[in-house]
């Protein structure tokens, strides 16, 4: 995939409790329509997840996560054979089954912290890996936002993981700094403002700020009213070096990329 032009990843949360679109994509037929619309709007990647990772999210069993995502991925591939699917999971078993069902990338919010078999699984499957920065678990991460120096600490923690991945011959690594994961509201903005620093890791950079609390809490609104703020932050991310935008609203993100490309030229 050529990242000289930024890409857009559309979010499909096959969960009843995700912070913004929980319950909208638990039915396969509805999800097929949603994905078709995302592709028509220009999405390059579809990110499918079956485990909500919002702060204090409820536990989901392995069997339930598997039930939510594997049949869905199989259905998506039947309907859209050339679709690039990312499986959003921190479980190596789910990742393995998802790739067998047709997923092309593994998007691990835990950066390998929650399953010690994940890195070996990625190596065995030989697929690209999205390495996100997070501390703790979705239930504990918000209590783990103490850093000596935010940007340097996050980059260091990611670089140590990259070293392990490279040692396993995993070369296609995408970095996600983890907005909202073990970061306070102010830390999220500090990180976005210094996003270009992450280029020292020499990996494509994914930014996922879509409708997150760093927007709606600052503005005193709710997630459903955070599209305008999302667009503003997505443009800031692109101007600071983002290669992939992970979003709920594909059409608006594609428009942002088009305007950014015009500004850049």
């Amino acid at each position: 995939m050529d990242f000289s032009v930024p890409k857009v990843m559309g979010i499909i949360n096959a969960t009843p409790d995700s912070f913004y679109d929980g319950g909208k994509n638990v039915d396969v037929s509805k999800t097929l329509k949603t994905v078709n619309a995302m592709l028509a709007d220009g999405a390059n990647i579809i990110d499918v997840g079956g485990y909500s990772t919002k702060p204090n999210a409820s536990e989901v069993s392995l069997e339930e996560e598997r039930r939510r995502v594997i049949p869905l991925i199989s259905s998506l591939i039947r309907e859209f054979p050339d679709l690039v699917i990312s499986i959003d999971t921190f479980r190596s078993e789910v990742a393995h089954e998802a790739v067998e069902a047709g997923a092309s990338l593994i998007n691990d919010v835990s950066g390998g912290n929650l399953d010690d078999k994940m890195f070996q699984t990625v190596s065995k499957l030989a697929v690209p890996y999205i390495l996100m920065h997070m501390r703790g678990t979705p239930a504990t991460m918000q209590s783990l936002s103490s850093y000596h120096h935010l940007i340097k600490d996050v980059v260091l923690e990611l670089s140590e993981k990259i070293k392990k991945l490279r040692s396993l011959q995993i070369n296609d690594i995408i970095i996600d700094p983890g907005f909202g994961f073990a970061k306070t509201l102010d830390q999220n903005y500090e990180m976005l403002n210094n996003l270009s620093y992450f280029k020292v890791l020499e990996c494509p950079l994914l930014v996922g700020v879509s409708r997150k609390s760093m927007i709606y809490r600052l503005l005193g609104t709710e997630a459903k009213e955070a599209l305008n703020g999302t667009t503003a932050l997505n443009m800031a991310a692109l101007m600071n070096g983002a290669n992939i935008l992970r979003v709920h609203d594909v059409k608006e993100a594609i428009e942002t990329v088009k305007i950014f490309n015009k500004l850049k030229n």
Side-chain angles (χ1 to χ4, degrees):
M1 189 170 283
D2 177 12
F3 291 114
S4 61
V5 175
K7 306 304 182 202
V8 171
M9 172 187 282
I11 301 169
I12 295 293
N13 289 316
T15 57
D17 58 343
S18 289
F19 76 93
Y20 169 61
D21 57 357
K24 291 184 179 179
N25 292 300
V26 294
D27 179 79
V28 171
S29 61
K30 289 182 180 178
T31 304
L32 290 174
K33 292 179 181 178
T34 301
V35 170
N36 187 57
M38 285 181 169
L39 295 175
D41 287 335
N44 307 105
I45 306 167
I46 299 297
D47 192 46
V48 176
Y51 192 127
S52 176
T53 51
K54 67 181 181 181
N56 302 310
S58 301
E59 285 282 337
V60 177
S61 70
L62 173 63
E63 292 73 21
E64 176 63 16
E65 184 182 3
R66 184 186 281 140
R67 185 193 67 77
R68 291 176 181 180
V69 298
I70 304 304
L72 175 56
I73 290 171
S74 297
S75 297
L76 288 171
I77 290 297
R78 281 195 299 270
E79 187 75 15
F80 312 104
D82 298 324
L83 182 62
V84 179
I85 297 176
S86 168
I87 175 63
D88 180 359
T89 186
F90 56 78
R91 289 178 167 137
S92 60
E93 289 183 58
V94 174
H96 192 281
E97 290 186 35
V99 170
E100 287 187 332
S104 307
L105 303 87
I106 296 170
N107 181 13
D108 178 7
V109 298
S110 80
N113 286 344
L114 299 181
D115 188 333
D116 59 11
K117 296 179 181 177
M118 180 61 87
F119 286 5
Q120 288 82 1
T121 299
V122 176
S123 179
K124 179 181 178 181
L125 294 170
V127 294
Y129 179 67
I130 300 172
L131 171 68
M132 199 189 83
H133 178 270
M134 183 177 80
R135 290 175 169 178
T137 69
T140 65
M141 62 185 179
Q142 294 311 105
S143 65
L144 300 171
S145 60
S146 178
Y147 298 87
H148 177 66
H149 186 291
L150 175 67
I151 306 302
K152 290 181 180 179
D153 289 356
V154 174
V155 168
L156 177 60
E157 290 172 28
L158 287 170
S159 68
E160 290 171 345
K161 298 284 184 65
I162 291 172
K163 184 178 179 180
K164 292 179 182 177
L165 291 166
R166 298 288 192 212
S167 71
L168 294 169
Q169 285 74 55
I170 300 168
N171 297 315
D172 295 321
I173 303 168
I174 296 167
I175 293 300
D176 180 348
F179 290 92
F181 290 79
K183 321 286 188 310
T184 65
L185 186 147
D186 287 343
Q187 287 170 341
N188 284 318
Y189 282 92
E190 180 184 351
M191 197 162 66
L192 183 61
N193 201 38
N194 291 279
L195 192 65
S196 59
Y197 191 84
F198 289 88
K199 288 296 182 178
V200 301
L201 296 171
E202 298 182 342
C203 295
L205 191 56
L206 181 150
V207 168
V209 294
S210 182
R211 296 184 179 268
K212 286 188 174 179
S213 63
M214 65 182 287
I215 300 168
Y216 63 80
R217 286 182 182 171
L218 179 69
L219 301 179
T221 57
E222 298 177 358
K224 65 182 180 180
E225 298 171 330
L227 176 55
N228 189 49
T230 297
T231 298
L233 293 195
N234 280 338
M235 180 60 84
L238 292 172
M239 296 186 78
N240 283 317
N243 302 106
I244 304 172
L245 299 177
R246 182 179 181 273
V247 299
H248 298 91
D249 309 279
V250 170
K251 179 177 180 289
E252 290 79 2
I254 289 290
E255 290 175 350
T256 305
V257 169
K258 287 180 179 178
I259 293 172
F260 167 74
N261 287 333
K262 187 65 175 176
L263 289 170
K264 189 174 65 170
N265 293 332

